[in-house]
Amino acid sequence: MALITKRPKGTADVVPAQVYKWHTVEKLAAESAELYGFKEIRVPTFEDTGLFVRSVGETTDVVQKEMYTVTATGDSQFTLRPEGTAGVMRAMIENGILNETFPQKAYYIVSCFRHENVQAGRLREFHQFGCEMVGTAAPRADAEVISLARSVFDNVGIEGVELNINSIGCPACRSAYQKALKDYFTARKDCLCGDCHKRLERNPMRLLDCKVPECKEAGKDAPLIIDYLCEDCKAHFESLKKDLDLMGIKYKVDPLIVRGLDYYTRTVFEFIKDGLTVCGGGRYDGLIEELGGPATPALGFGMGLERLISVMEKQGCEFAKPYQCDLYIASMGESAAERAMQMAAELRGIGYYAEHDLVGRGIKPQMKYANKIGAKYVIVIGDNELSAGSAKLKNMNTGAEQTIRLGEKFAEDFETIHTAECFESVDLGQ
Ligand code: ATP
Ligand code: MG
């Protein structure tokens, strides 16, 4: 029988010793979003396949090649979400959130699934921190959303992430552009891959997103959308740039950004580090209507958390320390072990992290374990300590020992000593 101890290709485990990194980014990202007035939204992992086909776009790589579509006997077809926006917009329509005051602001941390070629920075299950702002067409909202994404990078402490922006216009200016693109690429049809032949007929802008080197080369001198913007879209883009300047947010205009999803209109942006897009987003003014809701402008971004963590690791950013054991209670003999169990529970009751022996080990291996988990304090109790009603509490950092009462006063004594020594070490700047 084939081994079932291997995870599927393109997925990752986060082992307990590493999970503090995830806790750190999840907390800091959520904190940034809350400071901008975003509230968390939680939606299902799978949705009707049609939702993604409609929103992400039939001609995109995501829909054409990358969706994980599942069926259960006798049920309809569902797809594991390849991105977060579509499900969140579906939920906003379904729950009547669009009848409430605007703008509505929601964030989420979700896993996404895409059947991609696995390589550095590209997984089949990955995680996104996403933010969506609904109900405003004002360019100031675009600046706000970009500023929020930027603030996440600042909050986690990474540097050198570059912001590129572009405008891909509205359906009005885009039709002239699509035509110009079609003419341009039709003249170079012989150099294009099979997929691009189809794209040329159905959605020429997707050609600019093709990863095949020959197609990239053929697109080198392609017309630029920015030269085809209508007056309104031009003014919108100018206002956004002005607001970014006012906020001191540095950016570059990259006229080649088109993004891989069909629902974008006007502003699109990417935050890039070391050649990888850590965050991508933009405006999608037509999406809600396309999904059957009232015409409502909206925008947002998705930030890849694996990529974010990997940049943080490379830059030596600080992650919040995992919980550290406050006290390990080592015991000799059954009566002491019973008391250790009760003492650990008492300490946890007042918010300390305490452990005791659960394996039935002797003192030496218990001490080894206490060291391994990095316990700040250790106490050893046996029959002598039980009958004396007190024991030695050892500070594992300094080696200092103090007497601590084991009876009713135990938790109180521990708290007093712990608090005093915490202050001391702060005073010493340790
Ligand atoms: P890329 O250009 O790298 O393929 P994308 O344009 O497909 O990215 P989006 O769909 O906008 O990306 O998703 C937003 C973010 O999610 C990306 O910027 C990236 O950080 C992350 N992301 C997308 N696909 C993957 C993947 N397969 N593995 C890991 N992270 C991903
Ligand atoms: Mg992609």
Side-chain angles (χ1 to χ4, degrees):
M1 208 172 70
L3 272 182
I4 50 164
T5 51
K6 254 186 154 1
R7 61 179 174 262
K9 190 173 169 191
T11 65
D13 302 308
V14 180
V15 296
Q18 292 293 319
V19 80
Y20 69 98
K21 295 179 181 168
W22 283 84
H23 290 164
T24 305
V25 296
E26 286 162 6
K27 181 167 171 284
L28 293 175
E31 194 176 278
S32 289
E34 298 277 351
L35 292 181
Y36 280 75
F38 286 64
K39 298 268 179 287
E40 189 182 357
I41 186 166
R42 297 191 181 194
V43 294
T45 306
F46 59 91
E47 300 272 359
D48 275 335
T49 300
L51 175 69
F52 299 116
V53 176
R54 264 281 188 81
S55 50
V56 173
E58 205 139 4
T59 54
T60 58
D61 276 0
V62 170
V63 166
Q64 289 284 315
K65 307 178 187 164
E66 298 171 0
M67 294 206 300
Y68 282 94
T69 295
V70 291
T71 48
T73 319
D75 209 344
S76 2
Q77 219 179 41
F78 297 105
T79 294
L80 304 183
R81 69 174 151 240
E83 56 93 55
T85 305
V88 170
M89 289 310 118
R90 195 265 314 134
M92 287 208 176
I93 298 169
E94 189 171 341
N95 293 283
I97 294 171
L98 302 180
N99 304 324
E100 294 167 22
T101 179
F102 282 156
Q104 283 292 321
K105 293 171 275 185
Y107 74 91
Y108 49 85
I109 294 173
V110 296
S111 46
C112 298
F113 306 84
R114 294 184 196 176
H115 192 254
E116 299 209 62
N117 286 331
V118 176
Q119 48 189 288
R122 204 166 286 287
L123 292 159
R124 290 182 172 170
E125 181 184 11
F126 61 97
H127 296 78
Q128 270 189 7
F129 164 66
C131 289
E132 315 290 350
M133 187 187 283
V134 173
T136 167
R140 187 142 298 153
D142 304 46
E144 181 93 341
V145 166
I146 289 173
S147 157
L148 164 53
R150 173 100 266 165
S151 85
V152 175
F153 297 126
D154 294 341
N155 213 6
V156 302
I158 68 180
E159 288 170 357
V161 183
E162 280 170 14
L163 167 63
N164 294 331
I165 62 171
N166 191 22
S167 174
I168 58 171
C170 62
C173 35
R174 214 177 300 167
S175 67
Y177 179 59
Q178 293 271 37
K179 186 174 176 316
L181 264 189
K182 198 167 173 180
D183 292 347
Y184 172 87
F185 278 113
T186 304
R188 293 161 181 80
K189 206 169 169 184
D190 297 345
C191 315
L192 303 177
C193 73
D195 280 345
C196 279
H197 282 155
K198 278 189 237 146
R199 291 175 179 132
L200 191 55
E201 291 313 314
R202 300 175 63 187
N203 188 352
M205 262 175 88
R206 288 269 72 83
L207 271 146
L208 299 173
D209 216 24
C210 184
K211 309 279 190 290
V212 175
E214 286 75 15
C215 301
K216 276 200 153 145
E217 177 65 26
K220 242 181 31 199
D221 302 315
L224 300 174
I225 176 75
I226 208 134
D227 298 326
Y228 286 77
L229 295 184
C230 65
E231 287 310 311
D232 284 354
C233 287
K234 229 185 256 172
H236 192 276
F237 195 46
E238 289 310 312
S239 298
L240 165 62
K241 290 193 282 185
K242 181 172 171 228
D243 277 0
L244 290 176
D245 291 337
L246 285 171
M247 303 267 283
I249 297 172
K250 292 207 168 59
Y251 61 87
K252 247 183 22 212
V253 174
D254 177 354
L256 294 177
I257 302 177
V258 292
R259 311 284 308 125
L261 314 173
D262 266 358
Y263 52 60
Y264 287 112
T265 50
R266 292 191 163 172
T267 312
V268 287
F269 60 88
E270 292 179 342
F271 285 89
I272 313 265
K273 181 69 195 153
D274 303 329
L276 271 183
T277 310
V278 186
C279 173
R283 194 166 261 294
Y284 46 89
D285 290 344
L287 178 60
I288 294 172
E289 194 177 16
E290 174 71 32
L291 296 179
T296 313
L299 71 159
F301 65 77
M303 190 178 285
L305 293 184
E306 282 82 2
R307 293 185 190 178
L308 184 71
I309 290 176
S310 123
V311 174
M312 288 172 72
E313 287 171 339
K314 269 192 217 144
Q315 296 197 1
C317 293
E318 249 183 69
F319 292 93
K321 291 219 166 38
Y323 277 107
Q324 197 187 350
C325 180
D326 292 308
L327 177 65
Y328 183 83
I329 308 163
S331 60
M332 275 180 295
E334 179 56 14
S335 312
E338 286 171 357
R339 181 68 193 119
M341 173 171 71
Q342 294 170 324
M343 287 159 62
E346 282 165 35
L347 278 189
R348 294 166 189 154
I350 58 167
Y352 287 100
Y353 163 9
E355 290 203 41
H356 60 106
D357 176 47
L358 296 172
V359 183
R361 288 180 175 129
I363 280 296
K364 242 185 159 172
Q366 284 188 55
M367 295 305 287
K368 215 166 151 186
Y369 176 81
N371 261 321
K372 208 157 198 172
I373 63 170
K376 291 187 230 163
Y377 289 92
V378 170
I379 170 175
V380 181
I381 58 177
D383 290 340
N384 289 344
E385 284 76 12
L386 287 184
S387 56
S390 64
K392 287 268 183 286
L393 176 77
K394 183 169 179 183
N395 181 325
M396 299 298 278
N397 232 346
T398 62
E401 291 191 333
Q402 306 199 38
T403 302
I404 184 167
R405 288 173 288 181
L406 295 183
E408 274 173 16
K409 296 285 183 195
F410 161 70
E412 203 179 294
D413 274 8
F414 181 77
E415 181 147 54
T416 309
I417 295 170
H418 183 272
T419 310
E421 295 198 346
C422 260
F423 274 122
E424 250 171 52
S425 62
V426 171
D427 284 343
L428 294 172
Q430 287 170 348

